[in-house]
Amino acid sequence: MFYGRDDELGELNRRYYSRGFQFIPIYGRRRVGKTALIDEFIKDKIAIKFTAVKGSYSTNMRLLSSIVLGVKNAPAMNFEDILEVIHDKYGISRYVFVIDEFPYLVKSEESVTGILNNFIESHQDSDAFIILSGSSMNIMKNQILGKQSPLYGRRTGQIKLSPFLFADTKQFLPGYSDEERMIVYGLVGGIPWYLSFFDSGKSLKENIIENLINPYAVLNKEATLLFSEEFESPVAYYDVISSIAKGHNRVGEIASDAGLETSRISVLLKELIMLEIIEKRRPIDDPKSKRTIYRIRDQYLRAYFSFIYPDKVEVSKARSEEAYAEMMGDMETYMGHVFEEVCSEYVGRFCREVGTWWGTDPATRMKEEIDIAAFDKGGMVLCECKYRSEPTGKDVVETLLRRSGLVKSSLPKRLMVFSRSGFSEEAIRLADSSGVELYTFEDITR
C-alpha cells in the first residue's frame, strides 16, 4: 500500500501535466520508497520503466530491449538506439521513461550518461519525461547531480526522498501507542520498508526480537547491504560509525577509538556526510566555529551500531530473550537522543535551521549545552528535552534559563522544555513566572 509522499507525487503530476520536456532525478537512501513513488506516479500514464540490474552492460541492454520491443529475450540493442526507438514509438505525445537503479547501469558502462545527455540535447523540445532513480547516493550525486557529470545542468528539477518523520509513522503502526511508536522510530527510523516489518498486532517485544535480534531477520543484516552499495571496503566506515555510536563525537576522539590517523578519519567522515549517514554540527550561533561534533544521522544505523554490531550480530535464537533484556536495559539512555530528534521535528514545524548549542560558561569555565536551538521568524528558540520516567523538576527550567544567557545573540529568545513524563508543580510554577513554555510528549504528538 502506498503511504504519504503527497508533496512529491503532486510535484511530479504538476510537471507531467505542464508542457515541455522534463528530466527529474529521484534519489535517496536504500529502502526510502523511491520505486513506490515512481510506480504510483506512472500507474495511469504512458510509461516505460526499466530497472537496471547488477550485471554486464550487454545484460542490461538485452533486458531493456525486451521491455521496449515487447519481446522476450530480444537481441540487445545499444543504448543510443533504444532511446531513439522509445521516442519514435511514444514521442508524438507525453510519455515517461524511467530507469530505476540507474547506478547499476552506470557501473556496467559509464558512457550511458553521455549518451543520455546527447539524447536530451536532441529532444529537449519534445514532451518526453525522463526519470532516473537510484539508491547509491555516491553515484547519483556524482554521475547526475555533480558538476563533472555530462548530465549536469540538464535536469529540470529533482526530488530527494527523505525518510518519514515521526509524525508520519502512525499510518504504519496504527495499533501502537505513541511511546511504542517512538521506540520503533528510534530503532528503524522513518524508512517505510523497515516499518512494514513491524506488525502492530504483535507486542513491541515480539517485533524487536523477530525483526532486529533474530540473526535471520532482514534488518539484522540490512546495514551490510547498505554499505556494500556505497563502499568496496566498508570496514573502516564501520569503525567510525561504531565509535560515534559509543559517544565519541570529535575527530580526535573517533581517531583514538578507531585506531586510525585523524587525517584518515576526516576523509571517512566527509564521505559519510555526503551520503547523509553522518552529520556535522556546530553551535547554531557560531556557524563558522571550529568546535565541530559528529552525530549519526540515520536512525536505523544508529540503532544497529548501538545494539547489534558487533557483539550481538550473531545472537542465537536461544539467547534472544537475554539479548532483548540487554537492549531494553540501555533503551532509556538511547531513547534520550531519539526524543530530542522527535522534539526537533516538532520545533521544525515553525522554525528554520534547527540544531543545537554548546559553549563554555565564562564564570565557571564549565562546558554547557542546550539540546535544541533554532531560529524562528522573530528570534531564537532554545529547548531542553528530558526523556525520564518521572516528572521533570524545576532544576531543568532553571538550567535552561541560565544557559540561555550564555548564547551569544541579541535576538529575543523563546524558551521551551519538553518532557516525556510531565512536570513537577515547582517546575510549572517557575515556568509560569519566567515565561518558559512546557510541553509534554502528548502535546507534541497530538
Side-chain angles (χ1 to χ4, degrees):
M1 186 176 291
F2 184 77
Y3 291 114
R5 307 302 189 195
D6 294 339
D7 290 345
E8 294 87 350
L9 189 60
E11 179 64 15
L12 286 171
N13 277 311
R14 184 188 70 79
R15 289 176 177 275
Y16 178 85
Y17 290 111
S18 63
R19 296 184 62 86
F21 174 83
Q22 294 286 341
F23 170 36
I24 310 292
I26 299 177
Y27 64 107
R29 58 102 77 202
R30 179 181 167 91
R31 312 296 195 189
V32 79
K34 300 179 295 297
T35 300
L37 172 64
I38 291 168
D39 288 345
E40 184 70 14
F41 168 61
I42 66 175
K43 68 180 183 181
D44 57 352
K45 299 173 178 66
I46 296 172
I48 308 94
K49 181 189 172 191
F50 168 61
T51 302
V53 298
K54 286 183 178 179
S56 66
Y57 176 64
S58 60
T59 296
N60 275 289
M61 290 304 98
R62 180 175 52 79
L63 293 171
L64 179 54
S65 298
S66 296
I67 291 171
V68 173
L69 299 176
V71 178
K72 286 186 177 181
N73 300 316
M77 295 185 288
N78 63 55
F79 190 47
E80 186 175 12
D81 290 341
I82 291 174
L83 293 173
E84 292 300 336
V85 169
I86 292 172
H87 194 72
D88 288 344
K89 189 173 183 179
Y90 300 104
I92 59 173
S93 61
R94 172 71 94 188
Y95 70 93
V96 183
F97 176 47
V98 178
I99 303 180
D100 201 2
E101 297 298 352
F102 182 70
Y104 292 155
L105 186 57
V106 172
K107 285 182 180 179
S108 71
E109 177 55 63
E110 287 191 6
S111 67
V112 295
T113 55
I115 294 170
L116 187 57
N117 175 65
N118 293 339
F119 174 81
I120 291 172
E121 189 172 16
S122 299
H123 299 287
Q124 56 189 348
D125 293 331
S126 72
D127 283 328
F129 195 119
I130 298 174
I131 294 176
L132 301 183
S133 176
S135 299
S136 173
M137 297 282 279
N138 203 343
I139 292 179
M140 290 298 291
K141 288 186 174 182
N142 290 328
Q143 296 289 343
I144 300 177
L145 305 174
K147 290 183 179 180
Q148 70 276 21
S149 169
L151 293 170
Y152 181 74
R154 293 297 187 188
R155 67 186 186 274
T156 56
Q158 67 278 319
I159 292 177
K160 178 182 175 296
L161 213 56
S162 298
F164 285 116
L165 299 178
F166 170 70
D168 302 317
T169 61
K170 187 173 289 188
Q171 57 198 334
F172 294 94
L173 297 165
Y176 271 26
S177 68
D178 289 334
E179 182 90 19
E180 291 172 323
R181 204 158 44 84
M182 185 167 63
I183 292 175
V184 175
Y185 182 71
L187 294 174
V188 300
I191 304 299
W193 193 68
Y194 298 170
L195 290 165
S196 70
F197 284 100
F198 284 74
D199 181 355
S200 58
K202 296 181 180 180
S203 70
L204 179 64
K205 177 181 177 180
E206 288 174 311
N207 272 309
I208 290 175
I209 291 175
E210 289 178 13
N211 296 313
L212 287 165
I213 295 174
N214 176 8
Y216 307 111
V218 171
L219 297 182
N220 189 270
K221 301 292 188 291
E222 172 72 3
T224 60
L225 295 177
L226 279 170
F227 280 84
S228 67
E229 288 281 338
E230 303 290 353
F231 311 115
E232 291 184 6
S233 180
V235 175
Y237 300 93
Y238 287 166
D239 290 341
V240 170
I241 300 177
S242 181
S243 180
I244 297 174
K246 294 175 191 174
H248 306 295
N249 56 18
R250 291 174 170 81
V251 172
E253 296 173 359
I254 299 168
S256 177
D257 183 69
L260 297 170
E261 295 291 331
T262 55
S263 58
R264 176 63 173 152
I265 292 294
S266 297
V267 171
L268 296 173
L269 286 170
K270 186 176 181 180
E271 292 186 52
L272 290 168
I273 290 169
M274 188 273 289
L275 297 174
E276 300 180 0
I277 294 172
I278 297 295
E279 63 180 350
K280 178 193 289 188
R281 289 198 170 190
R282 294 185 175 95
I284 198 168
D285 64 336
D286 191 6
K288 296 182 180 180
S289 173
K290 293 183 179 180
R291 294 175 293 150
T292 302
I293 61 172
Y294 297 89
R295 294 180 60 174
I296 301 173
R297 181 173 180 176
D298 188 288
Q299 297 277 22
Y300 165 71
L301 290 177
R302 184 188 299 164
Y304 180 85
F305 283 94
S306 296
F307 297 119
I308 298 174
Y309 177 89
D311 298 333
K312 305 183 183 69
V313 74
E314 290 294 347
V315 170
S316 66
K317 295 198 75 173
R319 282 197 62 240
S320 59
E321 291 281 342
E322 181 184 342
Y324 175 78
E326 288 179 25
M327 179 184 286
M328 296 312 290
D330 296 331
M331 189 59 68
E332 184 156 338
T333 300
Y334 176 81
M335 287 300 296
H337 295 290
V338 179
F339 186 56
E340 284 183 26
E341 291 290 331
V342 172
C343 295
S344 292
E345 291 175 8
Y346 178 81
V347 171
R349 298 178 193 176
F350 55 86
C351 285
R352 57 184 174 85
E353 296 183 50
V354 180
T356 188
W357 177 90
W358 67 93
T360 302
D361 186 336
T364 64
R365 297 186 179 180
M366 297 289 290
K367 291 183 179 179
E368 303 282 1
E369 182 177 352
I370 298 175
D371 294 332
I372 300 172
F375 292 105
D376 64 8
K377 291 181 180 179
M380 293 190 74
V381 176
L382 304 174
C383 316
E384 288 291 326
C385 308
K386 296 301 172 187
Y387 187 83
R388 296 173 175 171
S389 55
E390 68 277 352
T392 296
K394 72 171 185 175
D395 59 311
V396 175
V397 179
E398 290 171 338
T399 298
L400 178 59
L401 287 165
R402 178 177 57 80
R403 288 175 177 171
S404 67
L406 302 175
V407 179
K408 299 173 184 177
S409 175
S410 58
L411 293 172
K413 298 181 180 72
R414 179 181 175 186
L415 306 185
M416 305 167 69
V417 178
F418 297 92
S419 173
R420 168 197 180 191
S421 304
F423 299 89
S424 68
E425 291 184 5
E426 292 85 354
I428 294 172
R429 285 197 293 269
L430 177 58
D432 285 343
S433 64
S434 56
V436 177
E437 302 173 33
L438 303 182
Y439 293 85
T440 65
F441 185 45
E442 289 75 17
D443 291 330
I444 64 175
T445 58
R446 186 172 299 134

mmCIF file of all heavy atoms in Angstrom, residues 1 12 17 49 80 99 113 134 158 185 211 227 249 289 294 312 324 343 420 427 436:
data_model
loop_
_atom_site.group_PDB
_atom_site.id
_atom_site.type_symbol
_atom_site.label_atom_id
_atom_site.label_comp_id
_atom_site.label_asym_id
_atom_site.label_seq_id
_atom_site.Cartn_x
_atom_site.Cartn_y
_atom_site.Cartn_z
ATOM 1 N N MET A 1 0.849 -1.199 0.000
ATOM 2 C CA MET A 1 0.000 0.000 0.000
ATOM 3 C C MET A 1 0.884 1.249 0.000
ATOM 4 O O MET A 1 1.903 1.284 0.686
ATOM 5 C CB MET A 1 -0.924 0.000 1.215
ATOM 6 C CG MET A 1 -1.938 1.146 1.221
ATOM 7 S SD MET A 1 -3.080 1.039 2.613
ATOM 8 C CE MET A 1 -4.002 -0.414 2.141
ATOM 9 N N LEU A 12 5.417 15.828 -9.142
ATOM 10 C CA LEU A 12 5.592 15.045 -10.365
ATOM 11 C C LEU A 12 4.390 15.215 -11.295
ATOM 12 O O LEU A 12 4.550 15.401 -12.506
ATOM 13 C CB LEU A 12 5.793 13.569 -10.026
ATOM 14 C CG LEU A 12 7.146 13.184 -9.435
ATOM 15 C CD1 LEU A 12 7.118 11.735 -8.947
ATOM 16 C CD2 LEU A 12 8.262 13.370 -10.454
ATOM 17 N N TYR A 17 1.659 17.350 -16.202
ATOM 18 C CA TYR A 17 0.538 17.983 -16.900
ATOM 19 C C TYR A 17 0.861 19.389 -17.408
ATOM 20 O O TYR A 17 0.017 20.034 -18.030
ATOM 21 C CB TYR A 17 -0.694 18.006 -15.991
ATOM 22 C CG TYR A 17 -1.258 16.611 -15.787
ATOM 23 C CD1 TYR A 17 -1.177 15.988 -14.542
ATOM 24 C CD2 TYR A 17 -1.827 15.909 -16.846
ATOM 25 C CE1 TYR A 17 -1.666 14.699 -14.359
ATOM 26 C CE2 TYR A 17 -2.322 14.625 -16.664
ATOM 27 C CZ TYR A 17 -2.238 14.025 -15.423
ATOM 28 O OH TYR A 17 -2.717 12.744 -15.248
ATOM 29 N N LYS A 49 9.217 1.603 -17.986
ATOM 30 C CA LYS A 49 10.041 1.553 -16.779
ATOM 31 C C LYS A 49 11.015 0.388 -16.879
ATOM 32 O O LYS A 49 10.623 -0.755 -17.101
ATOM 33 C CB LYS A 49 9.169 1.391 -15.535
ATOM 34 C CG LYS A 49 9.983 1.352 -14.245
ATOM 35 C CD LYS A 49 9.116 0.971 -13.052
ATOM 36 C CE LYS A 49 9.990 0.747 -11.823
ATOM 37 N NZ LYS A 49 9.239 0.132 -10.723
ATOM 38 N N GLU A 80 21.942 4.003 -27.266
ATOM 39 C CA GLU A 80 21.563 5.127 -28.127
ATOM 40 C C GLU A 80 20.385 4.764 -29.017
ATOM 41 O O GLU A 80 19.425 5.537 -29.160
ATOM 42 C CB GLU A 80 22.764 5.546 -28.974
ATOM 43 C CG GLU A 80 22.541 6.794 -29.805
ATOM 44 C CD GLU A 80 23.798 7.224 -30.524
ATOM 45 O OE1 GLU A 80 24.766 6.436 -30.561
ATOM 46 O OE2 GLU A 80 23.821 8.359 -31.032
ATOM 47 N N ILE A 99 14.380 4.941 -15.621
ATOM 48 C CA ILE A 99 15.442 3.973 -15.334
ATOM 49 C C ILE A 99 15.628 3.950 -13.823
ATOM 50 O O ILE A 99 16.156 4.895 -13.231
ATOM 51 C CB ILE A 99 16.781 4.308 -16.016
ATOM 52 C CG1 ILE A 99 16.611 4.431 -17.525
ATOM 53 C CG2 ILE A 99 17.808 3.208 -15.693
ATOM 54 C CD1 ILE A 99 17.898 4.756 -18.266
ATOM 55 N N THR A 113 25.774 7.921 -19.373
ATOM 56 C CA THR A 113 25.399 9.289 -19.002
ATOM 57 C C THR A 113 25.624 10.242 -20.179
ATOM 58 O O THR A 113 24.816 11.133 -20.432
ATOM 59 C CB THR A 113 26.212 9.767 -17.777
ATOM 60 O OG1 THR A 113 27.608 9.628 -18.040
ATOM 61 C CG2 THR A 113 25.850 8.957 -16.549
ATOM 62 N N GLY A 134 17.895 6.024 -8.116
ATOM 63 C CA GLY A 134 18.893 5.092 -7.617
ATOM 64 C C GLY A 134 19.160 5.252 -6.143
ATOM 65 O O GLY A 134 18.898 6.305 -5.557
ATOM 66 N N GLN A 158 14.478 18.074 -9.370
ATOM 67 C CA GLN A 158 14.965 16.875 -8.714
ATOM 68 C C GLN A 158 14.147 16.639 -7.465
ATOM 69 O O GLN A 158 13.595 17.576 -6.893
ATOM 70 C CB GLN A 158 16.444 16.961 -8.361
ATOM 71 C CG GLN A 158 16.806 17.971 -7.302
ATOM 72 C CD GLN A 158 16.932 19.369 -7.867
ATOM 73 O OE1 GLN A 158 17.480 19.563 -8.949
ATOM 74 N NE2 GLN A 158 16.415 20.338 -7.127
ATOM 75 N N TYR A 185 10.488 3.974 15.962
ATOM 76 C CA TYR A 185 11.118 5.035 15.156
ATOM 77 C C TYR A 185 12.593 5.175 15.519
ATOM 78 O O TYR A 185 13.440 5.368 14.649
ATOM 79 C CB TYR A 185 10.379 6.347 15.404
ATOM 80 C CG TYR A 185 10.901 7.521 14.602
ATOM 81 C CD1 TYR A 185 10.700 7.586 13.233
ATOM 82 C CD2 TYR A 185 11.565 8.570 15.226
ATOM 83 C CE1 TYR A 185 11.164 8.672 12.490
ATOM 84 C CE2 TYR A 185 12.026 9.664 14.500
ATOM 85 C CZ TYR A 185 11.824 9.700 13.129
ATOM 86 O OH TYR A 185 12.286 10.770 12.399
ATOM 87 N N ASN A 211 12.402 -8.961 14.355
ATOM 88 C CA ASN A 211 12.867 -8.131 13.237
ATOM 89 C C ASN A 211 14.278 -7.577 13.391
ATOM 90 O O ASN A 211 14.879 -7.175 12.384
ATOM 91 C CB ASN A 211 11.900 -6.970 13.016
ATOM 92 C CG ASN A 211 10.529 -7.435 12.598
ATOM 93 O OD1 ASN A 211 10.399 -8.272 11.710
ATOM 94 N ND2 ASN A 211 9.490 -6.915 13.244
ATOM 95 N N PHE A 227 25.985 -0.643 3.143
ATOM 96 C CA PHE A 227 27.377 -0.253 2.956
ATOM 97 C C PHE A 227 27.983 -0.867 1.697
ATOM 98 O O PHE A 227 28.840 -0.263 1.061
ATOM 99 C CB PHE A 227 28.196 -0.613 4.192
ATOM 100 C CG PHE A 227 28.050 0.382 5.297
ATOM 101 C CD1 PHE A 227 26.997 0.317 6.182
ATOM 102 C CD2 PHE A 227 28.952 1.418 5.429
ATOM 103 C CE1 PHE A 227 26.842 1.247 7.188
ATOM 104 C CE2 PHE A 227 28.813 2.372 6.431
ATOM 105 C CZ PHE A 227 27.750 2.285 7.317
ATOM 106 N N ASN A 249 32.389 11.900 19.609
ATOM 107 C CA ASN A 249 31.814 12.740 18.551
ATOM 108 C C ASN A 249 32.751 13.816 18.012
ATOM 109 O O ASN A 249 32.320 14.676 17.242
ATOM 110 C CB ASN A 249 30.506 13.389 19.020
ATOM 111 C CG ASN A 249 30.673 14.207 20.293
ATOM 112 O OD1 ASN A 249 31.782 14.572 20.662
ATOM 113 N ND2 ASN A 249 29.558 14.466 20.962
ATOM 114 N N SER A 289 32.297 28.124 13.467
ATOM 115 C CA SER A 289 33.111 27.658 14.582
ATOM 116 C C SER A 289 33.901 26.405 14.213
ATOM 117 O O SER A 289 33.464 25.576 13.425
ATOM 118 C CB SER A 289 32.212 27.345 15.788
ATOM 119 O OG SER A 289 32.954 26.740 16.813
ATOM 120 N N TYR A 294 30.215 15.332 15.562
ATOM 121 C CA TYR A 294 29.604 14.478 14.542
ATOM 122 C C TYR A 294 28.581 13.558 15.197
ATOM 123 O O TYR A 294 28.808 13.025 16.283
ATOM 124 C CB TYR A 294 30.678 13.657 13.825
ATOM 125 C CG TYR A 294 31.658 14.525 13.074
ATOM 126 C CD1 TYR A 294 32.807 15.018 13.708
ATOM 127 C CD2 TYR A 294 31.440 14.880 11.749
ATOM 128 C CE1 TYR A 294 33.703 15.841 13.038
ATOM 129 C CE2 TYR A 294 32.334 15.703 11.073
ATOM 130 C CZ TYR A 294 33.453 16.167 11.720
ATOM 131 O OH TYR A 294 34.339 16.988 11.054
ATOM 132 N N LYS A 312 26.345 -8.439 19.116
ATOM 133 C CA LYS A 312 25.151 -9.265 19.041
ATOM 134 C C LYS A 312 24.773 -9.615 17.608
ATOM 135 O O LYS A 312 23.655 -10.021 17.339
ATOM 136 C CB LYS A 312 23.987 -8.545 19.718
ATOM 137 C CG LYS A 312 24.265 -8.138 21.155
ATOM 138 C CD LYS A 312 23.042 -7.508 21.773
ATOM 139 C CE LYS A 312 23.321 -7.026 23.192
ATOM 140 N NZ LYS A 312 24.222 -5.883 23.241
ATOM 141 N N TYR A 324 17.310 -9.281 24.248
ATOM 142 C CA TYR A 324 16.254 -8.262 24.366
ATOM 143 C C TYR A 324 16.363 -7.536 25.709
ATOM 144 O O TYR A 324 16.234 -6.305 25.766
ATOM 145 C CB TYR A 324 14.877 -8.905 24.217
ATOM 146 C CG TYR A 324 13.735 -7.950 24.449
ATOM 147 C CD1 TYR A 324 13.349 -7.050 23.463
ATOM 148 C CD2 TYR A 324 13.059 -7.927 25.671
ATOM 149 C CE1 TYR A 324 12.309 -6.150 23.681
ATOM 150 C CE2 TYR A 324 12.019 -7.036 25.894
ATOM 151 C CZ TYR A 324 11.650 -6.153 24.903
ATOM 152 O OH TYR A 324 10.626 -5.263 25.121
ATOM 153 N N CYS A 343 11.454 15.891 19.191
ATOM 154 C CA CYS A 343 11.181 17.275 19.596
ATOM 155 C C CYS A 343 11.720 18.256 18.555
ATOM 156 O O CYS A 343 11.094 19.284 18.277
ATOM 157 C CB CYS A 343 11.795 17.560 20.964
ATOM 158 S SG CYS A 343 11.063 16.604 22.320
ATOM 159 N N ARG A 420 8.995 13.854 28.683
ATOM 160 C CA ARG A 420 8.248 12.625 28.415
ATOM 161 C C ARG A 420 7.172 12.386 29.470
ATOM 162 O O ARG A 420 6.089 11.891 29.155
ATOM 163 C CB ARG A 420 9.236 11.453 28.392
ATOM 164 C CG ARG A 420 8.612 10.072 28.412
ATOM 165 C CD ARG A 420 9.663 9.045 28.797
ATOM 166 N NE ARG A 420 9.143 7.700 28.835
ATOM 167 C CZ ARG A 420 9.812 6.670 29.338
ATOM 168 N NH1 ARG A 420 11.020 6.842 29.843
ATOM 169 N NH2 ARG A 420 9.293 5.460 29.328
ATOM 170 N N ALA A 427 8.216 23.025 38.934
ATOM 171 C CA ALA A 427 8.653 23.362 37.573
ATOM 172 C C ALA A 427 7.587 24.179 36.857
ATOM 173 O O ALA A 427 7.901 25.159 36.164
ATOM 174 C CB ALA A 427 8.953 22.087 36.786
ATOM 175 N N VAL A 436 8.746 30.437 30.475
ATOM 176 C CA VAL A 436 9.222 29.228 29.800
ATOM 177 C C VAL A 436 8.027 28.350 29.442
ATOM 178 O O VAL A 436 7.152 28.109 30.279
ATOM 179 C CB VAL A 436 10.211 28.439 30.696
ATOM 180 C CG1 VAL A 436 10.631 27.135 30.009
ATOM 181 C CG2 VAL A 436 11.426 29.292 31.019
#
